[in-house]
Amino acid sequence: MNITEADSIDELIADCADIPPSVRQSPAQGFPPQRLAPAWEVTEGCHAQVKDLDEYV
């Protein structure tokens, strides 16, 4: 089998579409179950890190 990297986003999408659903979604393949990340919030600590900067990029 000759595996190459995708040269474009279209090629990547096509490559991913070729993966059988049983492989993509099988927890038996060693992948942990999918979980949701906690919501991210801007805290006072975030603001404190940039409050003295003239420009925040």
Side-chain angles (χ1 to χ4, degrees):
M1 176 189 271
N2 185 14
I3 300 173
T4 60
E5 290 191 25
D7 293 325
S8 68
I9 190 70
D10 291 332
E11 189 177 328
L12 179 61
I13 291 169
D15 290 348
C16 291
D18 289 341
I19 299 172
S22 61
V23 173
R24 281 185 271 150
Q25 299 174 355
S26 174
Q29 296 293 324
F31 296 106
Q34 191 173 17
R35 58 187 175 178
L36 296 175
W40 185 78
E41 295 180 17
V42 177
T43 63
E44 289 299 317
C46 293
H47 285 285
Q49 290 178 358
V50 297
K51 73 177 183 175
D52 293 327
L53 297 177
D54 293 332
E55 182 179 324
Y56 178 69
V57 181

